[in-house]
Structures are given as structure tokens and as C-alpha cells.
Amino acid sequence: MGSLISDDEGRYIGTEPWWKDALFYQVYPASFKDSNGDGWGDLPGLISKIDYLEELGVDVVWVSPIFESPQKDMGYDVSDYQKIYAPYGTVQDVDALLEECHKRGMKVILDLVVNHTSVEHEWFKESRSSKDNPKRDWYIWRPARYDDNGARHPPTNWRGYFAGPTWTWDEQTQEYYLHLYAPDQPDLNWENAKCREAIYENTMRFWLDRGVDGFRIDTVNKYSKRTDFVDAPVTDPTSPHQPAPEMWCNGPRIHEFIHEMNRKVLAPYNAVSVGELSLTPEPNQVIPYVSAQAQELDMVFEFSVIRLGNGNGFGAKYIYDPFPLSTLKRLTAKWQSFIEGTDAWATAFCENHDNGRAVSRFGDTSTPDLWSRSAKTIALWQATMTGTLFLYQGQEIGMTNMPPSWGMEEYKDIESANFYAEAVESGDGERVRKTMHGLRILARDHARVPFQWSDEPNAGFSDAGATSWMRVHDDYAAINAARQRHDPDSILSFYKRVMKLRKRYKDVFVFGSHKLLDPDDEEVWTYVKEGPGSGGGRDGTPRKALVVMNFSRSERGVGDVATALGCNEGDVRLLVGTNGPAPSQGRTWPALVAWEGRVYTNFDP
Ligand code: GLC
Ligand code: CA
């Protein structure tokens, strides 16, 4: 099914796959809507909110993992891919979700977590039962190393994502198994063809046969590891465990594996795919995954922008590293334009379940007014990005990070807990202080507090008397969907408005080129989007939009709009602004007040 791309006057530009101009929305199901008062979000709760998503303009709902799991990493540790974790509901509830979405012309993708399983998965239980079990080789087992004193050491010195080593000793069979994440998340061995086939059949076709439309594919570039299992160079002398992404990321057979997954499963079902591609910061590494010709993935998430502020490397992830606006602009421009002249495709997003809230990281939450302005400017930024756009639950109402007054006991994520514990164990008070500071900005927990539906107790997420699994944010009476729904000046109303404009002028916003105009300005951010059509502008030139956003509290002029758009002043139009209508024509354009953003065009809105 293609989506016809034409300009305003109906001139045909091309046919593109439907998912390129679709709006995706990520639901973190534990925190979206609780229907039965147990404090844990669930599928019936999600189903009750589909109308809300439809009203926002969502085309595709991405549901983070809902499968059977001991929940050591919030379901990214699956113990049975064909069962639903009971607090979420049942397989029949998934059927109902599919039906309700499909009825409205919406689609659903599930989170596919197949770099690793839970230790509780039957495959791993078999694999660890004996060295000659047929599934032994479905996971990655290696013998110990011993030093001169006879002390046992893991096969390599690699550091895992959640701090600590990537290997855990198994007493029964006297070998170590590999886990890039928690010890409860053993890595599957993709080198084994039977294991790969079991993944395709058991975790993918099962759900596609039930009508799921595709997958967000977890840690997609970690399936192929280097198989010589050697030590990484020591770059962190304070730790026995060394960062080693070159050993297990984008490994030698990765493109073969992904291509096979596409050929055997994704393509036959016409399933849409978006892979999580961390640690891959160069376009020439990304393009092979998403070039149409390569037939691997439709899209990937590249992490340069969303990781801004994270400390360098692995151990320092939560030592906050401030960045200027110019860095955000340059990285955005890089990941907007990398597809130009190729058959690859981009994604745009500024939030997900693994990062702090965008308005707290890129905006200004110091007063309610600045919060509201900056959240709208972030909306404008996202709405004008080339590529497929992904929103994260709560972004559309400007949900903020957890209050800074909350202590470590409110942080439930395994990664936050482990990094904090590591800092404490180091005995270095300064490191503990810095880690806490970093967690307050960057922790994954911020995105996981319950969705704020209303000013009722528990923010309308759960029943009044319920204890929600994560504490409800203190600010829910001021920041909630019910309050914003009927307020035309709210962040939510602004999101709805710009999402419509993005679709109406998709040639410019979704499919256009991106040119950054002011790389060194640390307050204002200006870029031009140009549609692929040959005309459509008021003067017959290609349709263009100038996006100009004030990412500061200073009042700032907008510069020469007409020259930036390459047209006469009389042909400039204001398409939309975060502060509502501004004069639509004229020689001089009013200055931008704090955190104001506007889009000017060379065509009639
Ligand atoms: C991905 C997920 C993250 C999870 C990890 C391990 O990065 O987004 O939440 O912890 O994979 O599965
Ligand atoms: Ca529930």
C-alpha cells in the first residue's frame, strides 16, 4: 500500500510506503492506563484510550513489551513470547487491541526482544541444563579463565550495559554465559541457524499471524558478535570491566542475519520494522540497515540526539555532560540530511522509555509559562522533521522529569539502581553526587511514571485508592490530558494542530530536504525545508518552509525570512506559530519572544 505524495495543487510527486508519513506513538503499557486498580497499566486500559490516540492523529501504536516476563528489565526479559504477562491481560486482549485499532484504520506494532531472553525462558532452562542439551548452543557459553593463583575469571573483561561484567558463572555446567544486559537476560546465539529459525517462528510469525502489523526491534545491531571472544583494551583503569562495543555491536554477520529475518519473515508478511540502532553514529554504518535496496529494515532509531547530555562511554553514562544548542542543531541536521541522494529513510523522535523527558532536557521548565512555550516549540521542531515521526506517551502534554526532590527510592529502573550502586561502592562521594545529578536529568525512570490523564487521584491513571507501581508525578493537577483537551492554547492542542499540518504539507515536512541556516547561534534555531516537487511556491519555485525557533529566554529577531525562503517579501506566509496567529504578511516580522517558534512558507497555507 503506497501513500501518494502530491503538492498543494495536486501535482504528483511520487508514491512512498505508507509508514513514511505515518505518525507512530509509543505506549509504555505499565504506565499508560490501569483499568482494574492494581496500579499497573494494562491492555484493557490501553484499549480504553485508543480514541484519545486517534484524536491526536496517531496512525501506529507501538506497544513496549507485554509478554510473560519476570520483569527484571520491565519486560525486556521475556520468558514466553506467546503469552501475555498476566497483569497486562491476555492474548485475547491483544486481539481486541488489534481489532479496535484496525477498525479505526490504525496499526499496531509490538516490541521484539530477541537479542536475549529471560533466564526463565524454557530455551535457557534447557540450555543451562547440560553441556550436551540440544539447545546448549542457543546461548553463548564459554569456559572460565584462571589466573596464576588459580582464581577463576570470566572469558573476557567486557562491561555490560547495566554495569558489571557481561558473563555469569553457571555452577551446574561449570561455564559462563554471555549477557550484554542483566545476568537475567542471557544473549541468544544467532550463529545457530536452528535458534534463528525458532526466533522467527516463535516470536515473530506467531504474532504476525494474529494480525500484528510489524515490530519495533530491540537492540537490532547486537545479534552478531565477534566470535573470538578476546579482551577489550583497558580504557577504564578503575574497573575490571571494560567497554567493548566493538566486540558485540554491528558484528561480522549482522547484515546477513537482518537480511534473513527480512526475507523469511518481515517481507512475506509485509510487516513494518523499526530497529533500535544504538552505538552507530555514522551514516555509512546506518545506511546499510535502511537502504531500500538492502532489504533489511524499514527504519532505525539513531541515538546521537537522544543521547545528548549523557556522559561519554559506558561507566560515565549518568555523569551529565551539558551541551550547547549548536550541538543539538548540528546533530539534527546530520541525521536529517544523511538520506539525501540515497534510498534510505530517517526517523525523528526526541523521547522514548529509555531517556528523560524532552521538555526537561531540551526545553525550559523553570516556570509554567516557559514550560508550556518550550514544549510547543519542541512540538514544532518534531513536526517539521524529515522522516517517520515517533511520539512517546506524555510528550504531547509536556510531561516533565520526576521532581528533583524525589530520592533514589522512587527510581525503579535496574539501570539507574545499578549505576547508583556502582557509584556508592566506589566510595567516591563526588561520583555519587554527580550520578544522582545525572539521574535527575537522564534516568529512564522519568519516562516511566504514570501517564497524567486528569486531576483526579492517581492522575486518573489508576483508581483513587490504588498504589501505582511508580509514584505519580507531583504536578499532575497542573499537567494532565483532560485539562489540555479543551484548551485551544494547550500543548496537546498544539500537537494536534501541527501533526495535521505535517500531514497536509508532507512533501515539505516529511519528505523535504533539511538545511540548517544558523549552526553557531546558541539561542535561535533556523532551518529550511524544501519539498521534492518542482513547483508549488507562490512564485513557481519549489515549496519551502522556514522553521525558526527561539530556544532561549532572550527576545530575538527572525532575520530575513524572504531571503531565507528565496522569494519576495510579498510571497511569504506564516503557516503556524507557537504563540498563535502573528501578522501573516508584511515587511518586517515581529521578533520572537522567549521560546517562541514559527514556520513561514513561500506558499499559501
Ligand atoms: C533496549 C530497550 C531497553 C532495554 C534493553 C535491553 O535498549 O529499549 O529498555 O533495557 O534494550 O533489552
Ligand atoms: Ca492493571
Side-chain angles (χ1 to χ4, degrees):
M1 204 190 347
S3 155
L4 199 69
I5 313 304
S6 52
D7 68 22
D8 214 18
E9 277 132 46
R11 271 179 297 247
Y12 172 79
I13 293 169
T15 308
E16 293 280 3
W18 66 266
W19 40 265
K20 289 196 174 179
D21 63 351
L23 176 61
F24 285 63
Y25 184 98
Q26 181 185 359
V27 167
Y28 199 68
S31 304
F32 194 55
K33 174 69 189 164
D34 172 23
S35 71
N36 61 353
D38 65 356
W40 184 269
D42 45 52
L43 288 163
L46 165 54
I47 292 169
S48 73
K49 295 296 182 186
I50 298 173
D51 288 335
Y52 168 85
L53 299 179
E54 189 185 21
E55 213 177 278
L56 178 60
V58 170
D59 300 299
V60 186
V61 182
W62 150 23
V63 190
S64 275
I66 46 178
F67 314 105
E68 185 72 82
S69 162
Q71 304 292 335
K72 299 286 184 212
D73 184 20
M74 287 306 292
Y76 285 91
D77 49 324
V78 181
S79 54
D80 189 333
Y81 292 94
Q82 303 190 350
K83 287 207 180 101
I84 300 301
Y85 179 57
Y88 284 128
T90 61
V91 174
Q92 284 66 42
D93 290 326
V94 178
D95 293 342
L97 173 70
L98 290 169
E99 197 185 317
E100 289 303 317
C101 286
H102 289 165
K103 213 159 72 185
R104 293 167 174 81
M106 294 159 71
K107 296 180 196 288
V108 178
I109 65 172
L110 297 182
D111 219 304
L112 181 69
V113 190
V114 291
N115 173 70
H116 43 265
T117 66
S118 160
V119 282
E120 303 285 315
H121 196 288
E122 282 307 317
W123 296 345
F124 188 71
K125 288 187 186 164
E126 283 188 45
S127 185
R128 86 185 313 176
S129 66
S130 77
K131 279 187 178 169
D132 51 16
N133 183 280
K135 294 203 175 63
R136 181 68 170 179
D137 188 44
W138 285 29
Y139 293 82
I140 300 167
W141 294 96
R142 284 290 176 283
R145 294 190 291 187
Y146 293 91
D147 63 23
D148 294 344
N149 306 321
R152 191 183 68 225
H153 295 281
T156 69
N157 65 352
W158 305 348
R159 179 190 167 98
Y161 267 93
F162 297 155
T166 57
W167 299 95
T168 289
W169 178 247
D170 181 61
E171 273 303 331
Q172 189 179 323
T173 56
Q174 298 283 302
E175 280 189 321
Y176 283 93
Y177 64 87
L178 181 78
H179 51 86
L180 299 183
Y181 296 88
D184 296 271
Q185 294 168 294
D187 280 48
L188 285 159
N189 181 17
W190 278 69
E191 301 285 328
N192 183 304
K194 284 209 179 93
C195 174
R196 294 203 301 280
E197 188 48 46
I199 291 169
Y200 303 151
E201 184 61 20
N202 188 283
T203 75
M204 298 180 77
R205 292 191 195 110
F206 176 82
W207 289 107
L208 292 167
D209 285 335
R210 294 193 89 91
V212 162
D213 300 290
F215 299 102
R216 175 270 189 181
I217 309 181
D218 193 58
T219 55
V220 79
N221 53 342
K222 319 270 161 68
Y223 304 158
S224 166
K225 283 104 177 154
R226 267 177 61 171
T227 52
D228 47 358
F229 297 102
V230 292
D231 278 340
V234 176
T235 51
D236 179 3
T238 67
S239 169
H241 315 303
Q242 302 300 316
E246 69 280 11
M247 300 293 171
W248 42 255
C249 193
N250 301 315
R253 295 182 69 189
I254 192 67
H255 292 291
E256 177 195 334
F257 294 158
I258 308 290
H259 182 70
E260 180 185 86
M261 177 196 268
N262 185 288
R263 181 171 57 82
K264 291 193 165 177
V265 192
L266 296 170
Y269 283 88
N270 215 354
V272 64
S273 58
V274 51
E276 184 198 25
L277 200 73
S278 60
L279 299 168
T280 310
E282 289 312 324
N284 63 7
Q285 302 171 286
V286 174
I287 286 182
Y289 287 98
V290 287
S291 148
Q293 214 189 349
Q295 299 184 349
E296 293 189 15
L297 300 168
D298 293 330
M299 299 172 272
V300 292
F301 297 125
E302 195 286 324
F303 279 178
S304 297
V305 167
I306 201 141
R307 286 283 186 253
L308 274 172
N310 278 122
N312 201 12
F314 280 66
K317 179 172 178 191
Y318 289 107
I319 309 291
Y320 188 64
D321 185 14
F323 56 92
L325 179 65
S326 54
T327 304
L328 175 59
K329 295 201 269 192
R330 281 207 189 83
L331 287 172
T332 299
K334 173 177 171 182
W335 293 107
Q336 282 283 282
S337 55
F338 86 104
I339 54 172
E340 286 170 19
T342 75
D343 65 351
W345 188 238
T347 56
F349 61 103
C350 64
E351 285 196 17
N352 63 25
H353 66 296
D354 288 333
N355 291 281
R357 290 290 185 174
V359 69
S360 300
R361 299 175 61 201
F362 306 116
D364 188 340
T365 55
S366 50
T367 69
D369 183 45
L370 292 169
W371 158 75
S372 168
R373 289 160 184 259
S374 62
K376 287 180 203 164
T377 296
I378 288 170
L380 198 63
W381 164 37
Q382 293 297 296
T384 56
M385 288 285 100
T386 296
T388 300
L389 181 59
F390 289 74
L391 301 183
Y392 180 73
Q393 70 178 45
Q395 178 184 340
E396 75 279 14
I397 57 169
M399 279 181 66
T400 62
N401 276 358
M402 307 188 322
S405 58
W406 288 12
M408 204 48 215
E409 67 281 3
E410 304 296 352
Y411 291 70
K412 306 294 178 201
D413 174 30
I414 182 174
E415 183 169 286
S416 303
N418 288 5
F419 272 74
Y420 187 74
E422 190 182 36
V424 170
E425 276 156 30
S426 76
D428 176 349
E430 184 61 5
R431 180 164 166 196
V432 176
R433 197 192 58 75
K434 284 187 172 162
T435 302
M436 195 64 232
H437 170 73
L439 287 170
R440 291 203 163 106
I441 304 168
L442 303 165
R444 313 201 297 179
D445 305 82
H446 299 297
R448 303 177 179 190
V449 299
F451 190 100
Q452 289 153 220
W453 290 107
S454 70
D455 61 5
E456 292 160 297
N458 275 323
F461 160 73
S462 195
D463 294 351
T467 309
S468 57
W469 77 277
M470 273 190 88
R471 181 171 164 183
V472 172
H473 203 296
D474 301 347
D475 68 11
Y476 72 89
I479 303 179
N480 65 66
R483 182 172 172 160
Q484 294 190 26
R485 195 154 164 247
H486 299 294
D487 172 4
D489 290 328
S490 69
I491 299 165
L492 179 60
S493 298
F494 191 73
Y495 262 95
K496 287 181 189 168
R497 186 156 164 230
V498 292
M499 289 306 134
K500 282 205 190 84
L501 291 171
R502 173 177 174 80
K503 284 259 171 83
R504 188 171 313 146
Y505 306 109
K506 59 185 162 189
D507 55 318
V508 175
F509 296 125
V510 180
F511 296 98
S513 61
H514 176 107
K515 195 167 141 223
L516 174 63
L517 296 191
D518 52 2
D520 300 319
D521 195 312
E522 300 295 3
E523 295 181 334
V524 172
W525 185 355
T526 318
Y527 49 87
V528 172
K529 300 293 307 279
E530 180 171 336
S534 55
R538 284 175 48 84
D539 58 2
T541 59
R543 282 148 60 93
K544 284 187 196 169
L546 177 79
V547 183
V548 50
M549 302 176 293
N550 187 356
F551 268 61
S552 82
R553 295 178 202 169
S554 323
E555 184 170 306
R556 290 285 311 266
V558 293
D560 186 343
V561 175
T563 303
L565 284 170
C567 66
N568 294 322
E569 276 169 9
D571 288 330
V572 175
R573 297 289 181 270
L574 178 77
L575 179 66
V576 62
T578 55
N579 282 13
S584 65
Q585 289 190 51
R587 291 193 158 269
T588 52
W589 299 96
L592 299 167
V593 298
W595 287 99
E596 182 179 3
R598 295 188 203 135
V599 179
Y600 293 103
T601 58
N602 70 345
F603 55 87
D604 286 319

